[in-house]
């Protein structure tokens, strides 16, 4: 079906004047559509939900419906008070002319239209401590919005996502393969990383044990809190919205904190070849956590605060484990441009984890003061 015919099934006022590819996302096919009439212009996002990643796209849409409904009601209630120092936003689902949340095309693909957050944009990396603070505030506010949702009201979009014990089991299964053992035996660096993993097995499941014991409660997490999913207001410089809600899942919000810190506080990035440049920037960390706890601190339990360091240490370890497992398995999951790329990605994450471990005292002191 032609895109113009498809989007005209949605209830959008005005005439379609342009429909073009948009953004640099790696999962869904995304387009920007602009509608105009004599007085106004409306910009919306048209997306095809990637069925190869999300095997039940209809469930993804039910999740988005429930999440946005809950959050919009909370945003409207808060707007009537003096709670916030800004206008927080969240994308809204635009329904079809028949009142549905999506359209299914002749190929069985699910298409949706959501509102675009205007006068705001995202960055690919942390620009400054001030930017890191706003990223923390945006994630903290998102966690506040979903903190009182029933996790059972959401169908897990990616079962096993951020369950470290599952990644360890997958790694152990890979080690049983002759090819993986051959790769491991031929590289001193690979042997070093394997030893690194073995030394941290007990720590790797600490959050899962805390949840199982009841110390930590299951809430909701965003699932992809990278910098380019955090919209910053063009005029005020303040965080205004978290976007890309497909991976919102029931679980521990700690994984979002750890993942965001992992990406924001290592300015060298995931592909750095010189491990000497991989570091943990405490200034960015302090700013991010200050913004985060300002928004999320009001509902967090003492135990949830106590396990923040564990999450910050865990997420680079978890990603490094996944990169290393994929390297031993023959680069089947993460795309590579040259041999050994996933090995180097694992080295970077483990080096970051080491930097965090070396700063445990100062990180805990920062967390205790905020």
């Amino acid at each position: 079906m032609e895109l113009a015919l498809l989007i005209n099934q949605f209830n959008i006022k005005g005439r379609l004047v342009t429909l073009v590819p948009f953004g640099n996302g790696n999962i869904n096919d995304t387009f920007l559509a602009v509608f105009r009439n004599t007085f106004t212009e409306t910009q919306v996002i048209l997306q095809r939900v990637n069925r190869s990643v999300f095997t039940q796209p209809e469930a993804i849409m039910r999740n988005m419906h429930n999440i946005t409904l809950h959050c919009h009601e909370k945003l409207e209630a808060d707007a009537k008070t003096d709670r916030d120092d800004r206008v927080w936003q969240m994308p809204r689902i635009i329904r079809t002319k028949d009142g549905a949340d999506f359209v299914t095309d002749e190929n069985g693909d699910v298409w949706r239209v959501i509102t675009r957050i205007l006068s705001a944009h995202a960055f690919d990396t942390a620009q400054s401590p001030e930017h890191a603070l706003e990223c923390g505030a945006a994630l903290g506010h998102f966690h506040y919005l979903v903190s009182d949702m029933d996790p059972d009201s959401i169908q897990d979009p990616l079962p096993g996502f951020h369950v470290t014990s599952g990644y360890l089991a997958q790694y152990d299964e890979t080690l049983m393969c002759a090819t993986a053992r051959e790769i491991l035996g031929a590289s001193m660096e690979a042997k070093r990383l394997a030893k690194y993993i073995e030394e941290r097995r007990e720590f790797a499941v600490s959050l899962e044990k805390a949840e199982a014991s009841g110390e930590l409660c299951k809430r909701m997490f965003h699932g992809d809190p990278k910098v380019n999913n955090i919209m910053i207001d063009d005029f005020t410089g303040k965080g205004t919205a978290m976007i890309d809600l497909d991976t919102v899942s029931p679980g521990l919000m700690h994984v979002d904190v750890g993942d965001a810190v992992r990406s924001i506080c290592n300015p060298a990035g995931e592909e750095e070849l010189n491990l000497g440049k991989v570091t943990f920037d405490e200034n960015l960390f302090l700013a991010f956590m200050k913004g985060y706890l300002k928004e999320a601190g009001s509902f967090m339990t003492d135990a949830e605060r106590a396990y923040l360091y564990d999450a910050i240490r865990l997420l680079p370890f978890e990603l490094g484990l996944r990169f290393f497992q994929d390297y031993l398995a023959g680069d089947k999951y993460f795309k590579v441009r040259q041999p050994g790329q996933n090995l180097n990605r694992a080295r970077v994450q483990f080096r970051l984890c080491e930097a965090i471990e070396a700063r445990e005292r100062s990180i805990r002191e920062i967390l205790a003061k905020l």
Side-chain angles (χ1 to χ4, degrees), residues 145-216:
L145 288 175
V146 298
S147 63
D148 54 350
M149 279 193 74
D150 179 2
D152 292 334
S153 67
I154 299 300
Q155 182 172 332
D156 195 338
L158 295 170
F161 190 42
H162 286 314
V163 180
T164 314
S165 60
Y167 296 130
L168 280 169
Q170 188 178 11
Y171 169 71
D172 290 339
E173 184 178 345
T174 299
L175 289 179
M176 299 293 290
C177 300
T179 302
R181 293 197 299 270
E182 182 179 343
I183 293 172
L184 188 60
S187 168
M188 290 299 295
E189 184 66 353
K191 291 178 182 177
R192 184 183 72 83
L193 298 192
K195 182 174 184 292
Y196 186 88
I197 292 169
E198 293 306 316
E199 293 171 345
R200 288 160 176 78
R201 278 186 178 267
E202 184 175 352
F203 144 72
V205 294
S206 59
L207 291 183
E208 293 173 51
K209 287 183 176 179
E211 182 182 2
S213 70
E215 280 188 273
L216 297 179

